[in-house]
Amino acid sequence: MDKTTKATDEMLVARYAQGENEAFDMLLDRHKERLYTYIYYNVRNTEQAEDIFQETFAKAIVTIQQGRYSESGKFLAWLTRIAHNLIIDYFRQEKQECLVSCDEEERNLQNSLQFSEGTIESQIIGHQILSDVRRLVKFLPDDQREVVYMRYYQGLSFKEIADITGVSINTSLGRMRYAILNLRRMTEKYDIVLTTD
């Protein structure tokens, strides 16, 4: 563990990509306080901040496991960028639900074209991806299938999932991590592409 403690972020990312889960736990411990503070400062809501925090790390897990992480030496900045995009999504959704006033200067960024809804084509591709994932999810162990279903099909936060299932938020995130790993293996085995890129 001493070797892991002295490792740089990039070394830990590489180890995690090779299957060393403890390396990711170290990354989480190393950056959780600063990242959570950044998220909370922007959303000013404890439950939403926790949810965005968990989703940020879930996205990081997927990206690293898919071998798409390339931010050498800038792991925290990369995590912060993921969190920032999730914060934008959160405010965009609030706007759609008529909960956010556009009179607020700092939130007018939602009127930008770059944050507009996707095209019909991207929506169709998105539906196909969800359909493919739904088929693959059936082959996951029960606890992993449960957390994927609650998160992506019921839209529950990791805190809500933890409360419902009677486990900690970290356990919920861990189950999601293993579900993502298993889904990735299945997509590679059956040559299924789960991306709109």
Side-chain angles (χ1 to χ4, degrees), residues 35-45 49 87 106:
L35 186 66
Y36 180 83
T37 300
Y38 170 79
I39 295 167
Y40 181 79
Y41 177 81
N42 281 282
V43 300
R44 304 288 181 168
N45 176 297
I87 290 166
E106 62 188 301

Side-chain angles (χ1 to χ4, degrees), residues 57-117:
F57 275 98
K59 284 183 175 291
I61 288 167
V62 172
T63 303
I64 293 168
Q65 288 298 323
Q66 290 179 343
R68 295 187 294 121
Y69 174 79
S70 61
E71 303 291 323
S72 182
K74 302 175 185 175
F75 183 74
L76 180 60
W78 176 68
L79 278 181
T80 305
R81 197 163 60 247
I82 293 172
H84 174 76
N85 291 337
L86 290 169
I87 290 166
I88 295 294
D89 290 345
Y90 164 69
F91 285 126
R92 186 189 316 157
Q93 184 176 351
E94 274 204 336
K95 181 183 176 188
Q96 289 173 350
E97 294 170 359
C98 300
L99 297 175
V100 175
S101 169
C102 285
D103 294 336
E104 295 182 40
E105 178 84 22
E106 62 188 301
R107 294 185 183 168
N108 267 340
L109 54 87
Q110 296 169 35
N111 292 325
S112 170
L113 183 60
Q114 74 184 93
F115 300 121
S116 65
E117 294 300 314

Side-chain angles (χ1 to χ4, degrees), residues 9 12-13 23-31 57 75:
D9 288 348
L12 292 172
V13 168
F24 190 85
D25 293 338
M26 179 56 102
L27 287 167
L28 176 64
D29 288 340
R30 186 176 286 178
H31 298 295
F57 275 98
F75 183 74

